[in-house]
Amino acid sequence: DAKTTQPPSMDCAEGRAANLPCNHSTISGNEYVYWYRQIHSQGPQYIIHGLKNNETNEMASLIITEDRKSSTLILPHATLRDTAVYYCIVSALMNRDDKIIFGKGTRLHILP
Amino acid sequence: NAGVTQTPKFQVLKTGQSMTLQCAQDMNHNSMYWYRQDPGMGLRLIYYSASEGTTDKGEVPNGYNVSRLNKREFSLRLESAAPSQTSVYFCASSADSEYSYEQYFGPGTRLTVT
C-alpha cells in the first residue's frame, strides 16, 4: 500500500498558485518525500523531492511540516499545461528494499 | 540524448502469445524499472534492476520475466500473455547518486491482450 494520502482531485484557476497536500503520517526518519506528475497518456515526470527542509526548483516548491507528517507541493502560477495527476511518494534514498510505490495521486484540473 | 526509449509503442496480442518489451536509456543510469498502469490506477512496480546483472521482484511480478542485458537495456518478457496483462507498461531509470533518486520514465507501451 502507498504510504501517502492525497485528495483524489482538485481544481485551480489558471494563473493562481496550486497547493497540493499530501499526508504521510508514518514517514520514517530516512525517507524522502518525492513528487511526480503524469500528464495524460505520458510517462510520469519527476518534479521535486525533499527530506525536511523546504525545497524550490524551476517547476515547484515543496513545503514539509516540521513533524514531517505532511507536505504541500506548490505550483506558483498554474497554467493549463499543469493539468495532470500528481503523485506524492515517500521512499528511503538508496534503500533497495524500499520500492517507490505510486498511489492514485491527485488529479489537478487547471481552469481557464 | 533521447532519455528512456521503449519499443513498441502499441501491441495487440492473443491470449497465450509471447512478446518482449524493450527499454533502453542513454543517461548511464545504474537502476532500471518496469511498471504497469491499469486504467484509473497508479503505477505498480513489476521488476527492477539495481545494476547490470541483477534483478529483483516488485509488487506484481507474476507472469513476467526480465533481463538486464547491459547497463543500457532492460527488457520485459511475457511468456504467455493473458487478458489481465492488458495495461500500459512504463520503463524508468534512475542514477541513484548520493543525493538523488529521481526516476526518468519512457513514453510507455500500450498492450492489449485479447
Side-chain angles (χ1 to χ4, degrees):
Chain A
D1 290 339
K3 303 176 186 177
T4 61
T5 304
Q6 299 177 253
S9 67
M10 292 181 62
D11 292 337
C12 178
E14 189 177 18
R16 304 295 295 269
N19 296 277
L20 291 90
C22 180
N23 182 292
H24 33 79
S25 58
T26 60
I27 192 170
S28 301
N30 65 342
E31 288 183 316
Y32 284 67
V33 180
Y34 289 82
W35 283 85
Y36 287 78
R37 73 180 182 184
Q38 186 174 24
I39 296 170
H40 181 62
S41 298
Q42 298 180 20
Q45 177 190 22
Y46 165 82
I47 302 172
I48 198 167
H49 75 283
L51 184 62
K52 52 186 174 181
N53 297 324
N54 297 338
E55 301 287 345
T56 296
N57 62 21
E58 64 278 4
M59 288 183 67
S61 296
L62 174 60
I63 309 298
I64 303 174
T65 58
E66 194 168 340
D67 63 7
R68 302 208 324 125
K69 293 186 177 181
S70 65
S71 61
T72 301
L73 178 75
I74 301 172
L75 307 177
H77 304 288
T79 71
L80 295 177
R81 289 177 295 180
D82 293 321
T83 292
V85 178
Y86 287 77
Y87 297 98
C88 170
I89 298 158
V90 296
S91 180
L93 194 67
M94 300 296 289
N95 184 344
R96 292 265 61 91
D97 292 329
D98 190 16
K99 305 168 186 65
I100 288 183
I101 297 177
F102 286 76
K104 293 187 179 181
T106 296
R107 187 170 296 275
L108 177 66
H109 297 101
I110 305 301
L111 307 174
Chain B
N1 189 336
V4 179
T5 56
Q6 293 183 235
T7 55
K9 288 189 170 60
F10 300 93
Q11 183 71 49
V12 178
L13 291 178
K14 294 185 177 176
T15 298
Q17 287 185 317
S18 63
M19 79 161 295
T20 299
L21 281 64
Q22 306 287 353
C23 174
Q25 53 91 10
D26 61 2
M27 296 173 282
N28 201 35
H29 285 171
N30 292 322
S31 295
M32 297 185 73
Y33 313 80
W34 276 106
Y35 293 88
R36 63 176 286 175
Q37 185 173 34
D38 300 325
M41 304 291 288
L43 282 77
R44 291 185 292 170
L45 182 65
I46 305 172
Y47 271 94
Y48 71 97
S49 170
S51 62
E52 185 179 347
T54 68
T55 61
D56 287 286
K57 295 178 180 179
E59 293 176 77
V60 289
N62 292 343
Y64 305 95
N65 287 302
V66 290
S67 296
R68 184 73 182 268
L69 306 169
N70 47 55
K71 192 171 187 180
R72 289 188 64 247
E73 298 172 292
F74 189 38
S75 62
L76 178 72
R77 182 161 178 83
L78 287 71
E79 290 292 352
S80 179
S84 60
Q85 294 178 305
T86 293
S87 191
V88 180
Y89 292 83
F90 290 102
C91 178
S93 68
S94 63
D96 294 358
S97 69
E98 182 178 350
Y99 304 104
S100 176
Y101 194 39
E102 63 259 33
Q103 297 186 13
Y104 295 84
F105 286 80
T109 293
R110 283 145 185 82
L111 175 67
T112 301
V113 183
T114 61

